[in-house]
Amino acid sequence: TPIVNRLDIPSPTAETVISPAGVFSGGIAAEGTTMLVGDGNSGDVRAFDAATFPAFPVSFSTGDLVASSTSASSIDALGDLLLIAGQTFGGEGSALVIDRAAGTSITLQPAGPDAFYGGYFNHITNQLVVTANGTAYVYAIPTPATLALAPVALFAARRRRA
């Protein structure tokens, strides 16, 4: 049975925080005190606020349902959630990027719907890496600082034309 443990490096001790964590491992992503945990069997991804856990461990079913038929993978610098749906049980494979603030998403299938996908967000290069059939597909993801500069650059370009 999968579990999620918290490791306290200075002590060094470990504590189980979610048990059971679904039927089999489906990935985990973290942002602040929020943990997004996937169940590889059901495809459910549930959110847990570690700061409000009443006592450890808590059951996977007590988390807030975020998505189904996928697996939590990672969170980019903008807070977008990357979910992976490996093509299993006759379903389509894909990488799904969810903009949690705007409530929108984009589905990526660079190798088609019949591929088994994996993926992660590379925080060093600010790139989304989606893997399928032995090939890595790389997508540039803007950082919050880059997005803040975009309107300034647009304003400056318009200003010169006037």
Side-chain angles (χ1 to χ4, degrees), residues 26 38-45 65-72 83-89 91-96:
D39 174 356
N41 184 52
S42 69
D44 289 348
V45 175
L65 184 64
V66 174
S68 287
S69 301
T70 142
S71 180
L83 301 174
I84 300 296
Q87 193 262 336
T88 56
F89 308 114
E92 288 189 1
S94 65
L96 178 69

Side-chain angles (χ1 to χ4, degrees), residues 50-136:
T52 63
F53 281 169
F56 296 122
V58 298
S59 172
F60 179 77
S61 62
T62 63
D64 295 327
L65 184 64
V66 174
S68 287
S69 301
T70 142
S71 180
S73 182
S74 59
I75 297 174
D76 70 16
L78 299 173
D80 299 328
L81 174 62
L82 170 62
L83 301 174
I84 300 296
Q87 193 262 336
T88 56
F89 308 114
E92 288 189 1
S94 65
L96 178 69
V97 181
I98 299 175
D99 180 338
R100 295 182 298 159
T104 59
S105 66
I106 183 170
T107 300
L108 303 171
Q109 292 180 313
D114 297 326
F116 187 87
Y117 288 91
Y120 62 93
F121 179 73
N122 184 328
H123 290 275
I124 303 299
T125 63
N126 286 321
Q127 294 174 325
L128 170 63
V129 180
V130 176
T131 60
N133 303 330
T135 302

